[in-house]
Amino acid sequence: ALADRVLTVLDIRPAAEGNAAGGTSIRECENQLLVLLGFERFDLIKTLLANRARIWGCVSLKRASSEATRDEVEKVLMEEESGEGKRMLEELRSRSTAEDWR
């Protein structure tokens, strides 16, 4: 599905950790998203890139089928170089329910 391909492009894991994109730079991600989504969706692409760690982290945590997988995703988020992954994870931990996310 298109959503899975977009998530693969947004993946923040280094290549050594099973990321097919292999720690892709923002520029490379932008190019891959342009191919997948088309130039007419450039505003969406900018939003996806600006929130790359947050999107990948939230979806990956939700899809985690085991505690080990969840721990692996959390580790990647804590080590993500921009710091956005760590901030997102701390924000998720500080909120008790989705209703608090206003």
Side-chain angles (χ1 to χ4, degrees), residues 20-87:
T24 309
S25 72
I26 291 291
R27 178 67 65 205
E28 292 170 44
C29 283
E30 181 180 83
N31 289 338
Q32 291 177 30
L33 291 171
L34 279 168
V35 170
L36 287 172
L37 302 174
F39 188 77
E40 60 277 359
R41 294 195 177 100
F42 191 69
D43 287 339
L44 171 63
I45 291 168
K46 289 191 315 190
T47 301
L48 290 171
L49 292 174
N51 295 287
R52 180 182 180 185
R54 188 174 287 269
I55 293 166
W56 180 83
C58 287
V59 173
S60 296
L61 286 171
K62 182 68 177 171
R63 289 182 174 180
S65 58
S66 69
E67 196 63 36
T69 303
R70 185 176 180 82
D71 290 345
E72 178 185 323
V73 171
E74 288 181 1
K75 179 180 181 276
V76 170
L77 290 169
M78 292 300 285
E79 296 172 353
E80 189 266 329
E81 64 185 34
S82 75
E84 184 61 28
K86 184 177 182 177
R87 283 189 296 277

